[in-house]
Amino acid sequence: MALPASPALAAPSSSIAAVVSAARPAFARGWRRYAVAFVGWTVAGVVFRQQALAAARLAGEAAPPTWRTIAMFVDMAIWALFTPAIMDLGRDFPVDRERWASRVPLHVASALAFALLDAVLMWSLTPVICDCVRRMTFGAEFADRLFANEASYLVLVAMGVAARYAEQSRERQLAAAALAAELADARLAALNAQLRPHFLFNTLNAIAELVHVDPHAADRTVTALGGLLRRSLAAGTRQEVPLREELACVDEYLAIVATRLDERLRVSTAIAPDVLDARVPAFLLQPLVENAVRHGVERAPDGGRVELAAWREGEWLHVEVRDDGAGLAAPNGSRAGGLGLHTTRERLRHLYGDAGAFELRAAPGGRGAVAAVRIPYSLAPR
């Protein structure tokens, strides 16, 4: 019977009422675990009792005396009390490939300790149960029960390990659902940035003007706008894409922005050739570049430069979007709290945990800003 695992108690609150309200559900869950353990061991006892009666009938022997049945159920009640603690040992200290050398001795010692405690209790209670003189020495009692007690311990530890894997499976499912939601948010944020009315209308107005003075530039802008929207809608559900795909998306975005900002926007790249096939989160660069353009270059009187850089450093991939525009202390508001940057932080946390890092800092010299991302380096499948 699979028993529920013990949840961690909530952190103490400064309010006594909050402590009581948080402890009450945990207390109830703790008693529920013991109730389930008693029910499980009682059912096992009934099964064993029926098997003993059937075996006695087949052998033509008398049924086991009542005091033996009582002793069996008392012993199982003792193991019901042991069950939550042993399952917690299995869940919190599983024997795996990396830590078996320390975990095996721990479980051997724990199994002997529980077997010893069970033998002490039953050796003390048996004369009371059967109202007779004790028939065994304590050493004989311990040896007689050792195999069954060790087997019970192993079964309970295995159930604890199974509960641990079930919890981890649920956590992975929740994490996958959260990642899917974050990707949907990233796609919506990117699409929202591309379809934002002022951006779209300014792009269409620029195209309308270019049609008369520079048809080729108008054609390039229409192509870039179509390609940008097509990439957003056709990205699918991939969490990670090759860096070269992200760069192509950013190129189309910058081609559109350049028609409006003209010479006020200057773009440069410093991409190491060996990282073009590295995995990066889908829609990683576009919100960072948009942040640099909108809050940096557009707010600087003379415009500015946006530089994309990516390189490998050991097992890490570094990606940076730099600008020399208005900087972090621009008078029109902070540039660090937008939806795109918030989504970027959350997706890095969900995808890579502590291995992923994002930082928005002032550029050297105080002019402009740097959005820096660090993630584990890995190649995208071809």
Side-chain angles (χ1 to χ4, degrees):
M1 173 182 292
L3 302 179
S6 175
L9 188 62
S13 169
S14 59
S15 167
I16 295 178
V19 172
V20 172
S21 62
R24 188 174 299 153
F27 179 78
R29 286 192 293 271
W31 275 107
R32 192 178 302 120
R33 297 178 70 207
Y34 284 100
V36 172
F38 272 101
V39 170
W41 279 102
T42 300
V43 171
V46 171
V47 172
F48 292 154
R49 170 64 177 174
Q50 295 302 316
Q51 288 179 339
L53 291 175
R57 284 195 298 268
L58 289 174
E61 300 174 354
T66 303
W67 73 267
R68 286 190 178 275
T69 301
I70 296 174
M72 180 186 69
F73 278 103
V74 169
D75 193 24
M76 290 192 170
I78 292 172
W79 276 93
L81 292 173
F82 293 168
T83 293
I86 296 175
M87 287 187 63
D88 286 346
L89 282 172
R91 186 192 62 191
D92 298 336
F93 302 97
V95 178
D96 50 33
R97 185 175 301 175
E98 292 77 16
R99 293 168 290 189
W100 68 270
S102 60
R103 297 291 171 81
V104 169
L106 169 67
H107 285 292
V108 169
S110 299
L112 290 174
F114 280 106
L116 180 63
L117 181 57
D118 176 70
V120 169
L121 292 172
M122 291 304 298
W123 190 73
S124 303
L125 292 173
T126 297
V128 178
I129 295 171
C130 69
D131 192 21
C132 59
V133 178
R134 187 179 288 112
R135 297 182 308 149
M136 291 186 182
T137 64
F138 174 73
E141 182 84 21
F142 176 74
D144 185 59
R145 295 179 174 277
L146 184 60
F147 177 79
N149 286 344
E150 298 301 287
S152 298
Y153 180 89
L154 289 176
V155 169
L156 292 176
V157 164
M159 292 170 64
V161 173
R164 173 190 177 93
Y165 287 141
E167 290 175 359
Q168 291 177 341
S169 177
R170 286 194 298 270
E171 290 172 359
R172 284 193 293 268
Q173 290 174 355
L174 291 174
L179 279 174
E182 292 294 341
L183 178 58
D185 287 343
R187 295 182 65 198
L188 289 175
L191 206 55
N192 180 56
Q194 294 148 16
L195 295 177
R196 190 175 285 117
H198 75 266
F199 172 81
L200 186 59
F201 293 154
N202 287 341
T203 301
L204 294 176
N205 288 334
I207 292 172
E209 294 175 3
L210 288 172
V211 166
H212 301 288
V213 298
D214 192 346
H216 294 294
D219 181 67
R220 290 195 301 270
T221 305
V222 170
T223 301
L225 180 60
L228 189 61
L229 298 179
R230 183 170 55 254
R231 286 180 186 275
S232 299
L233 295 173
T237 58
R238 290 180 298 168
Q239 292 288 346
E240 295 177 308
V241 298
L243 178 60
R244 64 173 72 249
E245 288 189 22
E246 279 293 291
L247 293 172
C249 184
V250 169
D251 286 344
E252 290 169 339
Y253 173 78
L254 289 173
I256 296 171
V257 174
T259 62
R260 178 167 49 85
L261 296 180
D262 198 15
E263 295 181 356
R264 296 185 65 234
L265 173 64
R266 298 173 294 280
V267 179
S268 62
T269 59
I271 309 296
D274 61 334
V275 301
L276 287 174
D277 291 317
R279 295 187 187 192
V280 297
F283 301 107
L284 170 70
L285 292 179
Q286 194 274 337
L288 304 184
V289 172
E290 183 200 6
N291 185 271
V293 172
R294 293 184 62 216
H295 299 285
V297 175
E298 289 186 3
R299 292 181 180 178
D302 300 326
R305 176 182 299 277
V306 172
E307 180 182 14
L308 279 70
W311 69 97
R312 180 183 180 182
E313 189 175 284
E315 61 182 14
W316 302 105
L317 173 66
H318 294 266
V319 179
E320 291 187 357
V321 176
R322 310 161 184 160
D323 71 82
D324 58 0
L328 297 182
N332 294 334
S334 171
R335 64 192 290 184
L339 175 62
L341 299 189
H342 172 75
T343 301
T344 298
R345 288 189 181 94
E346 289 302 306
R347 292 188 64 224
L348 289 173
R349 180 175 63 84
H350 282 301
L351 279 169
Y352 309 109
D354 294 337
F358 173 77
E359 178 186 15
L360 184 66
R361 62 177 184 267
R367 179 173 174 81
V370 178
V373 173
R374 188 206 67 189
I375 58 176
Y377 176 85
S378 63
L379 290 176
R382 293 182 178 276

